[in-house]
Amino acid sequence: MESFKLLIIILLSSVLVDNYVLSRFLGICPFLGVSKKIDQAVGMGVAVTVVMLLATAATWPIQKFVLDTLGLGYLQNIAFILIIATLVQILELVLKKFSPSLYKGLGVYLPLITTNCAVLGVTINNIIDGYSFIESMVSSLGCGLGFLLAMVLFSGIRSRIDDTKVPAPFRGLAVTLIAASFISLAFMGFSGIVESIFA
Amino acid sequence: MDILIAFLVMLGVALVAGVLITVFSHFFAVPENPLKGEIRACLPGINCGACGYKGCDDYAAALAEGGVAPNLCIPGAQSVADEIGGILGVEAEPFKDVVAFVSCNGNCDATFKTAEYEGVKTCYAASMIYGGTNSCRFGCLGFGDCAAACPAKAICIKDGIAHVNTARCLGCGLCTRTCPKGIINMIPQETATVVMCSNKQKGADAKKACKNACIGCKKCEKTCPHGAIKVVDNLAVIDYEKCVHCEACVKECPTGCLKTAFFPDIPADVSSEDLLS
Protein backbone atom coordinates (compact mmCIF):
# COMPACT_ATOMS: atom_id res chain seq x y z
CA MET A 1 0.00 0.00 0.00
CA GLU A 2 2.78 2.35 1.01
CA SER A 3 4.67 1.70 -2.21
CA PHE A 4 1.48 2.18 -4.24
CA LYS A 5 1.02 5.56 -2.55
CA LEU A 6 4.60 6.44 -3.49
CA LEU A 7 3.90 5.56 -7.14
CA ILE A 8 0.83 7.81 -7.16
CA ILE A 9 2.90 10.63 -5.67
CA ILE A 10 5.60 10.15 -8.33
CA LEU A 11 2.99 10.12 -11.09
CA LEU A 12 1.13 13.22 -9.94
CA SER A 13 4.20 15.23 -9.11
CA SER A 14 5.81 14.49 -12.48
CA VAL A 15 2.62 15.54 -14.29
CA LEU A 16 1.86 18.70 -12.35
CA VAL A 17 4.64 19.87 -10.05
CA ASP A 18 7.78 18.92 -11.94
CA ASN A 19 6.24 19.31 -15.36
CA TYR A 20 9.12 18.86 -17.78
CA VAL A 21 8.14 21.69 -20.07
CA LEU A 22 6.67 24.21 -17.67
CA SER A 23 8.78 23.74 -14.55
CA ARG A 24 12.05 22.19 -15.71
CA PHE A 25 12.08 23.91 -19.12
CA LEU A 26 13.08 20.83 -21.08
CA GLY A 27 11.60 19.99 -24.47
CA ILE A 28 10.78 23.63 -25.23
CA CYS A 29 11.52 23.15 -28.93
CA PRO A 30 8.56 20.90 -29.79
CA PHE A 31 6.51 22.80 -27.21
CA LEU A 32 6.87 25.97 -29.30
CA GLY A 33 7.18 24.28 -32.68
CA VAL A 34 4.36 21.75 -32.79
CA SER A 35 1.73 23.48 -30.66
CA LYS A 36 -0.01 25.41 -33.43
CA LYS A 37 -2.78 22.87 -33.94
CA ILE A 38 -4.35 20.77 -31.24
CA ASP A 39 -4.38 17.49 -33.20
CA GLN A 40 -0.67 17.75 -33.98
CA ALA A 41 0.02 18.66 -30.35
CA VAL A 42 -1.83 15.55 -29.15
CA GLY A 43 0.04 13.37 -31.67
CA MET A 44 3.40 14.73 -30.57
CA GLY A 45 2.49 14.38 -26.89
CA VAL A 46 1.45 10.74 -27.28
CA ALA A 47 4.53 9.92 -29.34
CA VAL A 48 6.84 11.50 -26.76
CA THR A 49 5.09 9.60 -23.95
CA VAL A 50 5.60 6.28 -25.74
CA VAL A 51 9.25 7.05 -26.47
CA MET A 52 9.85 8.13 -22.86
CA LEU A 53 8.44 4.82 -21.58
CA LEU A 54 10.47 2.77 -24.07
CA ALA A 55 13.63 4.77 -23.39
CA THR A 56 13.33 4.32 -19.64
CA ALA A 57 12.68 0.60 -20.03
CA ALA A 58 15.88 0.32 -22.06
CA THR A 59 18.21 2.78 -20.33
CA TRP A 60 17.51 1.83 -16.71
CA PRO A 61 18.83 -1.75 -17.04
CA ILE A 62 21.80 -0.53 -19.11
CA GLN A 63 22.74 1.97 -16.41
CA LYS A 64 22.28 -0.43 -13.50
CA PHE A 65 23.67 -3.63 -14.98
CA VAL A 66 26.26 -2.41 -17.46
CA LEU A 67 27.53 1.08 -16.72
CA ASP A 68 27.31 1.03 -12.91
CA THR A 69 28.82 -2.44 -12.50
CA LEU A 70 31.77 -1.45 -14.70
CA GLY A 71 32.13 1.95 -13.04
CA LEU A 72 31.40 3.75 -16.30
CA GLY A 73 28.68 6.10 -15.00
CA TYR A 74 30.24 8.99 -16.90
CA LEU A 75 29.25 7.37 -20.19
CA GLN A 76 25.59 7.88 -19.25
CA ASN A 77 24.83 10.80 -21.60
CA ILE A 78 26.37 9.40 -24.73
CA ALA A 79 25.03 5.89 -24.17
CA PHE A 80 21.51 7.14 -23.46
CA ILE A 81 21.45 9.34 -26.55
CA LEU A 82 22.49 6.36 -28.64
CA ILE A 83 19.79 4.16 -27.14
CA ILE A 84 17.05 6.78 -27.54
CA ALA A 85 17.98 7.39 -31.17
CA THR A 86 17.86 3.64 -31.85
CA LEU A 87 14.49 3.28 -30.16
CA VAL A 88 12.97 6.12 -32.16
CA GLN A 89 14.24 4.55 -35.38
CA ILE A 90 12.77 1.18 -34.45
CA LEU A 91 9.48 2.74 -33.36
CA GLU A 92 9.30 4.50 -36.73
CA LEU A 93 9.83 1.22 -38.59
CA VAL A 94 7.23 -0.60 -36.52
CA LEU A 95 4.66 2.17 -36.90
CA LYS A 96 5.23 2.33 -40.64
CA LYS A 97 4.50 -1.37 -40.87
CA PHE A 98 1.59 -1.76 -38.50
CA SER A 99 -0.10 1.64 -38.33
CA PRO A 100 0.54 3.63 -41.51
CA SER A 101 -2.18 6.14 -40.59
CA LEU A 102 -0.51 7.04 -37.28
CA TYR A 103 2.86 7.09 -39.04
CA LYS A 104 1.48 9.55 -41.57
CA GLY A 105 -0.18 11.63 -38.88
CA LEU A 106 3.00 12.04 -36.87
CA GLY A 107 5.05 12.67 -40.00
CA VAL A 108 8.27 14.51 -39.36
CA TYR A 109 7.67 14.82 -35.60
CA LEU A 110 8.52 11.19 -35.00
CA PRO A 111 12.22 11.42 -35.98
CA LEU A 112 12.36 14.81 -34.25
CA ILE A 113 11.76 13.10 -30.91
CA THR A 114 15.31 11.73 -31.20
CA THR A 115 16.61 15.16 -30.30
CA ASN A 116 13.94 15.94 -27.71
CA CYS A 117 15.86 16.78 -24.55
CA ALA A 118 12.85 15.97 -22.36
CA VAL A 119 13.30 12.27 -23.21
CA LEU A 120 16.98 12.33 -22.28
CA GLY A 121 16.09 14.40 -19.22
CA VAL A 122 13.57 11.85 -17.97
CA THR A 123 15.94 8.89 -18.33
CA ILE A 124 18.81 10.70 -16.60
CA ASN A 125 16.65 12.14 -13.82
CA ASN A 126 15.26 8.69 -13.08
CA ILE A 127 18.82 7.53 -12.36
CA ILE A 128 19.72 10.66 -10.38
CA ASP A 129 16.57 10.35 -8.24
CA GLY A 130 17.54 6.75 -7.47
CA TYR A 131 14.18 5.31 -8.58
CA SER A 132 13.62 1.55 -8.87
CA PHE A 133 12.58 0.16 -12.27
CA ILE A 134 8.83 0.36 -11.54
CA GLU A 135 9.19 3.85 -10.09
CA SER A 136 11.19 4.93 -13.14
CA MET A 137 8.48 3.69 -15.48
CA VAL A 138 5.76 5.49 -13.52
CA SER A 139 7.84 8.65 -13.45
CA SER A 140 8.32 8.43 -17.25
CA LEU A 141 4.61 7.91 -17.76
CA GLY A 142 3.93 10.96 -15.61
CA CYS A 143 6.47 13.08 -17.46
CA GLY A 144 5.00 12.03 -20.81
CA LEU A 145 1.48 12.85 -19.67
CA GLY A 146 2.76 16.17 -18.31
CA PHE A 147 4.30 16.94 -21.68
CA LEU A 148 1.00 16.02 -23.39
CA LEU A 149 -0.92 18.23 -20.97
CA ALA A 150 1.39 21.18 -21.57
CA MET A 151 1.18 20.73 -25.36
CA VAL A 152 -2.62 20.55 -25.39
CA LEU A 153 -3.06 23.52 -23.04
CA PHE A 154 -0.63 25.61 -25.01
CA SER A 155 -2.08 24.74 -28.42
CA GLY A 156 -5.47 25.88 -27.11
CA ILE A 157 -3.98 29.16 -25.97
CA ARG A 158 -2.13 29.64 -29.24
CA SER A 159 -5.28 29.18 -31.29
CA ARG A 160 -6.77 32.00 -29.22
CA ILE A 161 -3.70 34.18 -29.76
CA ASP A 162 -4.08 33.72 -33.53
CA ASP A 163 -7.52 35.33 -33.36
CA THR A 164 -6.39 38.26 -31.22
CA LYS A 165 -5.04 41.57 -32.33
CA VAL A 166 -1.52 41.58 -30.94
CA PRO A 167 0.49 44.86 -30.84
CA ALA A 168 3.02 44.83 -33.67
CA PRO A 169 6.23 44.50 -31.57
CA PHE A 170 4.88 41.39 -29.83
CA ARG A 171 3.57 39.53 -32.86
CA GLY A 172 4.77 36.01 -33.59
CA LEU A 173 7.25 34.33 -31.31
CA ALA A 174 7.34 37.14 -28.72
CA VAL A 175 3.72 36.81 -27.65
CA THR A 176 4.02 33.01 -27.80
CA LEU A 177 6.90 33.09 -25.31
CA ILE A 178 5.00 35.48 -23.04
CA ALA A 179 1.99 33.16 -23.08
CA ALA A 180 4.28 30.20 -22.32
CA SER A 181 5.71 32.03 -19.34
CA PHE A 182 2.21 32.69 -17.99
CA ILE A 183 1.30 28.99 -18.13
CA SER A 184 4.62 28.21 -16.52
CA LEU A 185 3.82 30.66 -13.69
CA ALA A 186 0.40 29.05 -13.30
CA PHE A 187 2.04 25.63 -12.94
CA MET A 188 4.30 27.00 -10.18
CA GLY A 189 1.08 27.11 -8.16
CA PHE A 190 1.09 23.31 -8.01
CA SER A 191 4.32 23.18 -6.00
CA GLY A 192 3.82 21.33 -2.73
CA ILE A 193 0.26 20.29 -3.59
CA VAL A 194 0.94 16.56 -4.07
CA GLU A 195 2.79 16.13 -0.80
CA SER A 196 -0.03 17.84 1.10
CA ILE A 197 -2.70 15.65 -0.52
CA PHE A 198 -1.06 12.54 0.91
CA ALA A 199 0.23 14.08 4.13
CA MET B 1 42.88 -0.08 -19.40
CA ASP B 2 39.81 1.87 -18.23
CA ILE B 3 39.55 3.62 -21.55
CA LEU B 4 39.62 0.28 -23.32
CA ILE B 5 36.69 -1.05 -21.27
CA ALA B 6 34.75 2.17 -21.88
CA PHE B 7 35.52 1.92 -25.58
CA LEU B 8 34.41 -1.70 -25.74
CA VAL B 9 31.20 -1.03 -23.82
CA MET B 10 30.22 1.82 -26.13
CA LEU B 11 31.17 -0.27 -29.12
CA GLY B 12 28.98 -3.08 -27.81
CA VAL B 13 26.00 -0.78 -27.23
CA ALA B 14 26.42 0.76 -30.67
CA LEU B 15 26.74 -2.65 -32.32
CA VAL B 16 23.60 -3.94 -30.61
CA ALA B 17 21.76 -0.78 -31.65
CA GLY B 18 22.95 -1.11 -35.23
CA VAL B 19 22.05 -4.78 -35.43
CA LEU B 20 18.61 -4.09 -33.93
CA ILE B 21 17.86 -1.37 -36.48
CA THR B 22 19.03 -3.58 -39.33
CA VAL B 23 16.95 -6.53 -38.14
CA PHE B 24 13.86 -4.39 -37.63
CA SER B 25 14.21 -2.64 -40.96
CA HIS B 26 14.56 -6.04 -42.61
CA PHE B 27 11.54 -7.65 -40.97
CA PHE B 28 9.30 -4.60 -40.89
CA ALA B 29 10.12 -3.28 -44.33
CA VAL B 30 7.14 -1.91 -46.20
CA PRO B 31 7.41 -2.79 -49.88
CA GLU B 32 7.05 0.31 -52.00
CA ASN B 33 5.62 0.23 -55.46
CA PRO B 34 8.50 0.97 -57.88
CA LEU B 35 6.05 2.78 -60.17
CA LYS B 36 5.53 5.41 -57.48
CA GLY B 37 9.02 6.85 -57.76
CA GLU B 38 8.79 6.98 -61.55
CA ILE B 39 5.42 8.74 -61.49
CA ARG B 40 6.53 11.10 -58.73
CA ALA B 41 9.42 12.22 -60.94
CA CYS B 42 6.95 13.31 -63.66
CA LEU B 43 4.81 15.41 -61.34
CA PRO B 44 5.73 19.08 -60.87
CA GLY B 45 6.24 18.75 -57.12
CA ILE B 46 4.57 21.96 -55.99
CA ASN B 47 2.06 20.10 -53.78
CA CYS B 48 -0.85 22.36 -54.72
CA GLY B 49 -3.50 19.73 -54.03
CA ALA B 50 -5.50 20.48 -57.18
CA CYS B 51 -5.69 16.76 -57.97
CA GLY B 52 -7.57 16.22 -54.72
CA TYR B 53 -4.70 14.41 -53.01
CA LYS B 54 -2.52 15.71 -50.18
CA GLY B 55 0.42 16.42 -52.43
CA CYS B 56 2.41 15.10 -55.34
CA ASP B 57 3.69 12.15 -53.26
CA ASP B 58 0.16 11.18 -52.30
CA TYR B 59 -1.12 11.42 -55.88
CA ALA B 60 1.83 9.37 -57.15
CA ALA B 61 1.08 6.69 -54.55
CA ALA B 62 -2.58 6.62 -55.57
CA LEU B 63 -1.63 6.37 -59.25
CA ALA B 64 0.77 3.53 -58.54
CA GLU B 65 -2.04 1.71 -56.70
CA GLY B 66 -4.18 2.07 -59.80
CA GLY B 67 -7.76 3.08 -60.50
CA VAL B 68 -6.99 6.81 -60.58
CA ALA B 69 -7.22 9.00 -63.66
CA PRO B 70 -3.77 10.20 -64.81
CA ASN B 71 -4.99 13.60 -66.00
CA LEU B 72 -5.73 15.14 -62.59
CA CYS B 73 -2.53 17.15 -62.28
CA ILE B 74 -3.63 20.62 -63.35
CA PRO B 75 -0.28 22.48 -63.21
CA GLY B 76 1.31 19.59 -65.13
CA ALA B 77 -1.33 19.80 -67.85
CA GLN B 78 -1.38 17.54 -70.92
CA SER B 79 2.33 16.73 -70.99
CA VAL B 80 2.37 15.26 -67.48
CA ALA B 81 -0.88 13.37 -68.10
CA ASP B 82 0.67 11.82 -71.22
CA GLU B 83 3.88 10.92 -69.39
CA ILE B 84 2.01 9.24 -66.53
CA GLY B 85 -0.25 7.50 -69.00
CA GLY B 86 2.88 6.21 -70.73
CA ILE B 87 4.29 4.80 -67.48
CA LEU B 88 1.02 3.16 -66.49
CA GLY B 89 0.33 1.97 -70.04
CA VAL B 90 -3.03 3.70 -70.28
CA GLU B 91 -4.32 6.37 -72.62
CA ALA B 92 -4.69 9.62 -70.71
CA GLU B 93 -7.94 11.42 -71.38
CA PRO B 94 -7.57 14.85 -72.93
CA PHE B 95 -6.65 17.40 -70.32
CA LYS B 96 -8.81 20.46 -69.81
CA ASP B 97 -6.88 23.61 -69.04
CA VAL B 98 -8.61 25.80 -66.49
CA VAL B 99 -7.80 29.11 -64.87
CA ALA B 100 -9.09 30.81 -61.76
CA PHE B 101 -11.49 33.67 -62.27
CA VAL B 102 -12.77 36.14 -59.67
CA SER B 103 -16.48 36.65 -60.31
CA CYS B 104 -16.65 40.15 -58.89
CA ASN B 105 -16.16 43.64 -60.25
CA GLY B 106 -17.12 45.49 -57.07
CA ASN B 107 -14.09 47.74 -56.96
CA CYS B 108 -13.73 50.83 -54.76
CA ASP B 109 -15.72 52.98 -57.21
CA ALA B 110 -18.65 50.58 -57.43
CA THR B 111 -19.08 49.59 -53.80
CA PHE B 112 -18.78 51.30 -50.43
CA LYS B 113 -18.03 50.24 -46.88
CA THR B 114 -20.92 49.89 -44.48
CA ALA B 115 -18.66 50.09 -41.44
CA GLU B 116 -15.04 50.52 -40.41
CA TYR B 117 -13.41 47.11 -39.99
CA GLU B 118 -10.58 47.08 -37.44
CA GLY B 119 -10.11 43.34 -37.00
CA VAL B 120 -7.62 40.84 -38.33
CA LYS B 121 -6.83 41.72 -41.92
CA THR B 122 -7.95 38.53 -43.60
CA CYS B 123 -11.07 37.84 -45.67
CA TYR B 124 -11.82 34.83 -43.49
CA ALA B 125 -11.87 36.86 -40.25
CA ALA B 126 -13.72 39.80 -41.84
CA SER B 127 -16.42 37.56 -43.35
CA MET B 128 -17.21 36.10 -39.92
CA ILE B 129 -18.67 39.44 -38.75
CA TYR B 130 -21.97 39.81 -40.64
CA GLY B 131 -20.25 38.72 -43.85
CA GLY B 132 -17.81 41.63 -43.90
CA THR B 133 -18.17 45.37 -44.28
CA ASN B 134 -18.55 45.45 -48.04
CA SER B 135 -21.83 46.99 -49.26
CA CYS B 136 -22.28 43.91 -51.43
CA ARG B 137 -22.41 40.91 -49.16
CA PHE B 138 -21.51 38.55 -52.01
CA GLY B 139 -18.48 40.43 -53.31
CA CYS B 140 -14.75 40.32 -52.87
CA LEU B 141 -13.51 41.61 -49.51
CA GLY B 142 -10.08 42.45 -50.85
CA PHE B 143 -7.88 41.31 -47.94
CA GLY B 144 -6.12 38.88 -50.23
CA ASP B 145 -6.58 35.47 -48.64
CA CYS B 146 -6.49 34.08 -52.17
CA ALA B 147 -3.30 35.97 -52.99
CA ALA B 148 -1.66 34.52 -49.88
CA ALA B 149 -2.80 31.00 -50.79
CA CYS B 150 -1.67 31.16 -54.43
CA PRO B 151 1.52 29.11 -54.97
CA ALA B 152 2.25 30.92 -58.25
CA LYS B 153 1.78 34.47 -56.93
CA ALA B 154 -0.77 34.97 -59.72
CA ILE B 155 -3.30 36.97 -57.71
CA CYS B 156 -3.07 40.64 -56.79
CA ILE B 157 -5.49 42.98 -55.05
CA LYS B 158 -6.27 46.09 -57.07
CA ASP B 159 -8.94 48.69 -56.29
CA GLY B 160 -10.20 46.50 -53.45
CA ILE B 161 -10.82 43.33 -55.46
CA ALA B 162 -8.71 40.34 -56.39
CA HIS B 163 -7.43 39.91 -59.93
CA VAL B 164 -5.93 36.76 -61.39
CA ASN B 165 -2.98 37.01 -63.72
CA THR B 166 -4.08 34.17 -65.94
CA ALA B 167 -0.68 33.84 -67.59
CA ARG B 168 0.76 32.81 -64.23
CA CYS B 169 -2.27 30.86 -62.96
CA LEU B 170 -1.50 27.15 -62.67
CA GLY B 171 -5.16 26.24 -62.36
CA CYS B 172 -4.63 24.47 -59.04
CA GLY B 173 -7.80 25.86 -57.50
CA LEU B 174 -6.32 26.58 -54.06
CA CYS B 175 -7.84 30.07 -54.17
CA THR B 176 -11.34 28.75 -54.87
CA ARG B 177 -11.14 26.75 -51.67
CA THR B 178 -9.63 29.64 -49.69
CA CYS B 179 -12.09 32.38 -50.64
CA PRO B 180 -14.69 32.61 -47.83
CA LYS B 181 -17.16 34.15 -50.28
CA GLY B 182 -16.69 31.37 -52.83
CA ILE B 183 -16.55 33.80 -55.73
CA ILE B 184 -13.45 32.40 -57.40
CA ASN B 185 -14.34 29.82 -60.04
CA MET B 186 -12.29 27.61 -62.28
CA ILE B 187 -13.24 28.21 -65.90
CA PRO B 188 -11.89 26.79 -69.18
CA GLN B 189 -8.84 28.68 -70.30
CA GLU B 190 -10.15 29.38 -73.81
CA THR B 191 -13.12 31.20 -72.29
CA ALA B 192 -13.62 34.77 -73.36
CA THR B 193 -17.03 35.68 -71.98
CA VAL B 194 -17.39 35.94 -68.21
CA VAL B 195 -19.89 37.15 -65.61
CA MET B 196 -18.08 39.51 -63.28
CA CYS B 197 -20.60 39.37 -60.47
CA SER B 198 -21.77 36.99 -57.78
CA ASN B 199 -24.63 39.03 -56.35
CA LYS B 200 -27.86 37.07 -56.03
CA GLN B 201 -30.01 39.89 -54.69
CA LYS B 202 -32.94 41.28 -56.66
CA GLY B 203 -32.06 43.92 -59.27
CA ALA B 204 -32.76 47.03 -57.21
CA ASP B 205 -30.98 45.76 -54.11
CA ALA B 206 -28.03 44.54 -56.13
CA LYS B 207 -27.72 47.90 -57.82
CA LYS B 208 -27.78 49.66 -54.43
CA ALA B 209 -24.99 47.42 -53.15
CA CYS B 210 -22.76 47.74 -56.22
CA LYS B 211 -22.88 49.83 -59.38
CA ASN B 212 -21.40 47.01 -61.45
CA ALA B 213 -23.73 44.27 -60.18
CA CYS B 214 -25.76 41.88 -62.30
CA ILE B 215 -29.37 42.99 -61.87
CA GLY B 216 -30.86 39.82 -63.31
CA CYS B 217 -32.63 41.61 -66.20
CA LYS B 218 -32.42 38.52 -68.44
CA LYS B 219 -31.46 40.57 -71.49
CA CYS B 220 -28.47 38.30 -72.03
CA GLU B 221 -30.64 35.22 -71.72
CA LYS B 222 -32.92 36.50 -74.49
CA THR B 223 -30.04 37.71 -76.65
CA CYS B 224 -27.84 34.63 -76.59
CA PRO B 225 -28.31 32.76 -79.91
CA HIS B 226 -26.91 29.53 -78.44
CA GLY B 227 -28.93 29.31 -75.25
CA ALA B 228 -25.70 29.31 -73.26
CA ILE B 229 -26.66 31.90 -70.67
CA LYS B 230 -29.32 31.62 -67.99
CA VAL B 231 -30.33 33.85 -65.11
CA VAL B 232 -30.43 31.76 -61.95
CA ASP B 233 -31.26 33.46 -58.62
CA ASN B 234 -31.03 36.92 -60.22
CA LEU B 235 -27.55 36.17 -61.52
CA ALA B 236 -26.42 35.38 -65.05
CA VAL B 237 -24.68 32.02 -65.37
CA ILE B 238 -22.80 30.96 -68.51
CA ASP B 239 -22.80 27.34 -69.63
CA TYR B 240 -19.33 26.99 -71.10
CA GLU B 241 -20.30 23.79 -72.89
CA LYS B 242 -22.53 25.87 -75.16
CA CYS B 243 -20.90 29.31 -75.16
CA VAL B 244 -19.05 30.15 -78.38
CA HIS B 245 -17.92 33.63 -77.27
CA CYS B 246 -19.90 35.53 -79.86
CA GLU B 247 -20.08 38.50 -77.46
CA ALA B 248 -23.72 39.18 -78.27
CA CYS B 249 -24.53 39.27 -74.55
CA VAL B 250 -21.56 41.51 -73.75
CA LYS B 251 -22.96 44.19 -76.06
CA GLU B 252 -26.44 43.95 -74.54
CA CYS B 253 -25.56 43.89 -70.82
CA PRO B 254 -26.80 47.19 -69.31
CA THR B 255 -24.53 47.12 -66.23
CA GLY B 256 -21.40 45.82 -67.92
CA CYS B 257 -21.01 42.83 -65.66
CA LEU B 258 -20.70 40.56 -68.69
CA LYS B 259 -17.24 41.06 -70.05
CA THR B 260 -14.80 39.72 -72.53
CA ALA B 261 -11.76 38.44 -70.74
CA PHE B 262 -8.44 37.79 -72.38
CA PHE B 263 -6.58 34.72 -71.33
CA PRO B 264 -3.13 34.77 -72.82
CA ASP B 265 -2.08 31.28 -73.79
CA ILE B 266 0.85 29.95 -71.85
CA PRO B 267 3.48 28.90 -74.39
CA ALA B 268 3.90 25.16 -74.40
CA ASP B 269 7.62 25.36 -73.66
CA VAL B 270 7.05 27.26 -70.39
CA SER B 271 6.75 24.79 -67.54
CA SER B 272 4.96 25.35 -64.27
CA GLU B 273 8.30 25.70 -62.50
CA ASP B 274 9.31 28.52 -64.80
CA LEU B 275 6.09 30.31 -64.03
CA LEU B 276 6.74 29.95 -60.32
CA SER B 277 10.11 31.62 -60.41
Side-chain angles (χ1 to χ4, degrees), chain A residues 62 66-67 70 72 74-75 78-79 82-83 85-86 89-90 93-94 96-98 104 162-165, chain B residues 2-3 5-6 9-10 13-14 17-18 20-21 24-25 27-32 54 58 118-120:
Chain A
I62 295 265
V66 180
L67 297 183
L70 292 170
L72 294 172
Y74 61 91
L75 283 179
I78 190 163
L82 192 63
I83 293 165
T86 311
Q89 285 290 318
I90 291 173
L93 288 168
V94 173
K96 200 174 179 182
K97 176 86 177 176
F98 292 112
K104 256 189 191 166
D162 285 347
D163 297 337
T164 333
K165 200 183 176 193
Chain B
D2 278 352
I3 190 95
I5 294 175
V9 165
M10 281 311 295
V13 172
L20 272 179
I21 291 183
F24 269 84
S25 62
F27 283 105
F28 292 89
V30 181
E32 203 171 68
K54 268 182 197 157
D58 213 26
E118 287 284 342
V120 181

Side-chain angles (χ1 to χ4, degrees), chain B residues 40-260:
Chain B
R40 176 65 187 79
C42 305
L43 293 169
I46 51 172
N47 297 319
C48 65
C51 49
Y53 292 88
K54 268 182 197 157
C56 296
D57 275 337
D58 213 26
Y59 183 42
L63 279 168
E65 288 286 310
V68 183
N71 62 343
L72 298 180
C73 180
I74 291 169
Q78 188 68 53
S79 61
V80 166
D82 288 340
E83 257 181 90
I84 296 171
I87 293 171
L88 292 175
V90 293
E91 190 68 34
E93 279 179 30
F95 176 83
K96 254 196 175 166
D97 222 350
V98 290
V99 287
F101 177 75
V102 183
S103 303
C104 178
N105 197 19
N107 54 29
C108 298
D109 296 331
T111 58
F112 57 92
K113 297 283 174 225
T114 53
E116 282 295 323
Y117 176 69
E118 287 284 342
V120 181
K121 301 282 185 222
T122 65
C123 306
Y124 180 68
S127 70
M128 285 201 282
I129 306 167
Y130 302 106
T133 57
N134 209 332
S135 58
C136 170
R137 61 192 167 89
F138 295 91
C140 178
L141 294 166
F143 290 107
D145 281 17
C146 48
C150 181
K153 298 193 172 55
I155 304 181
C156 67
I157 304 295
K158 211 176 128 203
D159 290 338
I161 53 172
H163 295 268
V164 180
N165 178 352
T166 42
R168 305 195 88 181
C169 179
L170 305 171
C172 67
L174 276 181
C175 48
T176 62
R177 279 166 267 160
T178 309
C179 179
K181 295 288 182 188
I183 56 168
I184 308 182
N185 301 308
M186 304 310 293
I187 56 175
Q189 183 155 24
E190 70 269 18
T191 309
T193 314
V194 289
V195 185
M196 289 194 83
C197 184
S198 300
N199 194 312
K200 289 180 176 168
Q201 285 172 298
K202 286 214 172 93
D205 294 334
K207 195 78 190 166
K208 262 181 225 160
C210 173
K211 284 181 205 158
N212 294 341
C214 171
I215 53 174
C217 65
K218 302 200 176 181
K219 253 188 175 171
C220 46
E221 196 178 305
K222 284 167 206 147
T223 312
C224 185
H226 307 279
I229 194 160
K230 277 232 150 53
V231 175
V232 184
D233 292 339
N234 306 309
L235 179 65
V237 181
I238 298 175
D239 182 352
Y240 288 115
E241 296 282 313
K242 293 181 188 159
C243 179
V244 296
H245 318 306
C246 63
E247 298 186 15
C249 52
V250 177
K251 285 173 201 130
E252 281 298 318
C253 182
T255 64
C257 79
L258 279 165
K259 278 206 161 55
T260 304

